[in-house]
Amino acid sequence: MLCSALAFGHKRGGISEREPRARVQSKRSSYDRESVTARGGSEAGAGDGGGGGRQRAAKGALEMKEKGSRAAVDERYAQWKSLIPVLYDWFANHNLVWPSLSCRWGPQFEKATYKNLVKPRVAAAEHISQFNEEARSPFVKKYKTIIHPGEVNRIRELPQNSKIIATHTDSPDVLIWDVEAQPNRQAQLAQMESRPDLVPPDSRPDLILRGHKDIAEFALAMCPAEPYVLSGGKDKSVVWWSIQDHISALGDSSKTESSPGASGSKGKTANDKDSPKVDPRGIFLGHDSTVEDVQFCPSRSFVVWAMILVLFFGMPGVVEKAHGGDVHCVDWNLHDVNYILTGSADNSVRMWDRRNLGSGGAGIPVHKFEGHKAAVLCWSPDKASVFGSSAEDGFLNVWDHEKVGNKKNPNAPAGLFFQHAGHRDKIVDFHWNSSDPWTIVSVSDDGESTGGGGTLQIWRMSDLIYRPEDEVLAELENFKTHLASCAPRS
């Protein structure tokens, strides 16, 4: 069985130009801590001569705290690992040499026959016998290599044609790619193993969307109903484009010459002369800070972005102070367009009914899911009341709004019914599979824990967890009867 997912990492792996972003950040964080401590020590020492001792004590306390936190994570991970055959019907772990900040299910995966290839409650047990955190999974195969100009911060696919994807990097532009038409650049990368000085040129995007006045890193969405793209950035704006404005250059995989990346000019990089540009259809203002996430309504031309601003192109409705902290992520329910999720630094995820968003800036959430500083939110395509949230704590929580009133564990937040603890560092993205029920791909940036790289995991929780309780109890009762019949008689 092969799984297809889109997971973009660093440009050229950083081999000849720079170290992985996670390693650079780790070094920078260490330097900053030492610099701040040193400054504090010298200032204190000027007054009483004791700054040096306090500096060493503070640094030692910080190191002890970090070691204790790391030990707790390792203990939690070891406990989770021992339970994989019990918790999952399917599980695969794929080590990434370089950091990856986004992952999506690719077009090759969407085959109805896939779901029949996985044996419930057997596949995970078979795979765990070969489980190695430092290895690459035999179930994940590389389909194509695209050398992206700059880091890939976010990937989103066009629902009408999943071979068309949009990417965010550290620039104001949004890049559009026809994955099928783009040439495979794996051969050029392979040459770098023997020739480190040989740096292959970037792949060229099929389309460049312009309109932001500052860097747009993460807020990115593609419309399910029309070929629209939405982006938010540091310029405090939300920009709207239509790929239809240049659709003739995309989508026909049989004519690879339609892709600038397949035009045969290997010596050029993505620049103004190579890829066609599209100007925005609209620019929306309404924020006084960076727009961190955007989302289209699944069935209509609604737009929602953080803090929350919901508008039907000209008919805005605003909820001020939706959270007690910065809003990091939003998502719109795939089954009922009335419900919207927001995740915040205030350690909560809130569910809203857009029909109750007051015109005067007032709004009361349907429910507050406590205990998670969600960085990514995603409604399940399998059940209208289920969604997932991931955060820097390394957990991917699966919630069910219908279970809020049926809390059975006093130590767990209301509505939480599954917690994936397979990542040892911050989970930066995840995605439900629309073709295989309850299957998720998730990726973590392991820079702080391992000094670089990341982990891609594909998993599906045991169906005994999400199926109706009476159905599960009946199956377990049959299993109990079977065990009794197999027991030796006295």
Side-chain angles (χ1 to χ4, degrees):
M1 178 192 64
L2 300 180
C3 302
S4 174
L6 297 171
F8 285 63
H10 282 267
K11 166 185 176 183
R12 291 187 284 275
I15 295 174
S16 61
E17 293 189 326
R18 59 185 174 184
E19 294 179 333
R21 176 180 178 183
R23 292 179 180 172
V24 174
Q25 287 179 335
S26 178
K27 288 184 177 180
R28 184 182 299 121
S29 298
S30 177
Y31 173 80
D32 289 344
R33 288 196 299 270
E34 293 176 3
S35 299
V36 171
T37 305
R39 287 195 298 271
S42 62
E43 290 171 0
D48 57 15
R54 284 194 293 273
Q55 173 188 341
R56 289 191 293 272
K59 185 176 180 180
L62 179 61
E63 291 176 350
M64 289 293 292
K65 182 178 180 180
E66 290 177 345
K67 289 181 179 178
S69 176
R70 190 76 258 153
V73 171
D74 292 342
E75 181 180 357
R76 181 196 77 192
Y77 177 79
Q79 182 180 13
W80 165 83
K81 186 176 176 180
S82 67
L83 296 173
I84 289 178
V86 178
L87 295 176
Y88 301 88
D89 279 348
W90 168 251
F91 175 80
N93 186 93
H94 190 72
N95 177 260
L96 300 170
V97 178
W98 301 99
S100 180
L101 299 181
S102 194
C103 62
R104 305 293 286 181
W105 289 106
Q108 302 299 315
F109 181 85
E110 298 186 5
K111 300 175 182 178
T113 56
Y114 169 82
K115 64 184 68 177
N116 299 321
L117 300 178
V118 179
K119 295 175 285 185
R121 293 186 294 281
V122 176
E126 292 177 347
H127 184 57
I128 192 60
S129 63
Q130 304 175 5
F131 182 50
N132 181 358
E133 290 88 348
E134 306 304 323
R136 297 190 174 190
S137 171
F139 300 98
V140 179
K141 301 296 183 181
K142 185 179 294 184
Y143 168 68
K144 180 175 285 189
T145 297
I146 297 174
I147 303 177
H148 195 276
E151 299 178 358
V152 180
N153 297 326
R154 189 66 80 224
I155 311 168
R156 291 296 179 260
E157 73 284 350
L158 185 66
Q160 301 90 1
N161 182 357
S162 58
K163 296 176 183 178
I164 305 299
I165 64 171
T167 59
H168 254 326
T169 185
D170 295 332
S171 81
D173 299 333
V174 176
L175 308 182
I176 303 297
W177 308 82
D178 184 339
V179 176
E180 192 70 19
Q182 282 285 330
N184 193 344
R185 306 297 295 278
Q186 181 58 34
Q188 288 95 321
L189 286 182
Q191 293 177 2
M192 294 177 61
E193 296 181 3
S194 58
R195 289 280 308 278
D197 59 316
L198 183 63
V199 180
D202 297 325
S203 300
R204 286 178 291 162
D206 295 275
L207 206 59
I208 297 178
L209 309 183
R210 295 193 156 179
H212 280 293
K213 296 180 180 179
D214 202 345
I215 293 175
E217 294 179 293
F218 296 103
L220 183 63
M222 302 190 85
C223 181
E226 300 287 343
Y228 295 157
V229 180
L230 202 64
S231 170
K234 291 184 177 181
D235 58 1
K236 308 172 188 177
S237 71
V238 172
V239 185
W240 165 47
W241 300 270
S242 174
I243 298 180
Q244 191 69 44
D245 294 344
H246 206 283
I247 199 67
S248 60
L250 297 174
D252 189 351
S253 300
S254 63
K255 298 180 181 179
T256 56
E257 67 271 18
S258 66
S259 169
S263 62
S265 180
K266 298 181 180 179
K268 296 182 179 180
T269 58
N271 56 44
D272 290 355
K273 297 180 180 179
D274 296 325
S275 303
K277 268 70 65 179
V278 170
D279 292 325
R281 287 195 174 186
I283 298 178
F284 306 103
L285 304 174
H287 288 273
D288 56 10
S289 186
T290 300
V291 179
E292 297 192 33
D293 201 8
V294 290
Q295 190 60 256
F296 277 104
C297 174
S299 62
R300 299 174 65 185
S301 296
F302 275 100
V303 180
V304 59
W305 63 84
M307 278 307 296
I308 318 170
L309 178 58
V310 182
L311 86 158
F312 181 58
F313 296 138
M315 296 164 43
V318 180
V319 177
E320 297 177 356
K321 298 181 180 179
H323 284 270
D326 291 345
V327 179
H328 295 315
C329 48
V330 297
D331 198 31
W332 211 310
N333 194 295
L334 300 172
H335 304 273
D336 189 336
V337 297
N338 291 313
Y339 296 117
I340 300 168
L341 291 172
T342 57
S344 170
D346 66 2
N347 207 34
S348 74
V349 175
R350 303 191 181 188
M351 178 177 172
W352 305 84
D353 188 332
R354 68 178 181 85
R355 296 167 294 188
N356 297 332
L357 300 182
S359 58
I364 300 175
V366 176
H367 186 74
K368 299 178 183 179
F369 299 88
E370 304 287 353
H372 213 205
K373 294 181 181 179
V376 181
L377 287 169
C378 191
W379 284 100
S380 168
D382 305 305
K383 187 178 179 182
S385 60
V386 173
F387 67 91
S389 67
S390 66
E392 292 188 359
D393 59 8
F395 289 115
L396 199 165
N397 291 343
V398 181
W399 310 77
D400 189 343
H401 178 247
E402 291 182 351
K403 297 183 181 293
V404 168
N406 301 323
K407 185 176 180 180
K408 297 182 179 180
N409 184 354
N411 298 320
L416 178 64
F417 79 98
F418 187 80
Q419 189 171 67
H420 177 64
H423 293 279
R424 291 173 288 177
D425 216 322
K426 51 184 175 292
I427 300 176
V428 290
D429 203 8
F430 73 94
H431 190 208
W432 296 83
N433 188 281
S434 60
S435 299
D436 190 23
W438 297 89
T439 302
I440 291 175
V441 58
S442 54
V443 66
S444 60
D445 179 355
D446 300 343
E448 294 184 6
S449 59
T450 65
T455 302
L456 181 77
Q457 294 183 343
I458 301 172
W459 51 276
R460 184 172 70 235
M461 71 181 79
S462 170
D463 63 353
L464 298 178
I465 297 174
Y466 59 80
R467 283 164 50 199
E469 184 174 348
D470 54 349
E471 185 179 310
V472 171
L473 292 175
E475 180 174 329
L476 293 177
E477 186 65 30
N478 292 335
F479 187 64
K480 176 182 177 182
T481 305
H482 174 71
L483 286 179
S485 65
C486 296
R489 297 181 180 179
S490 57

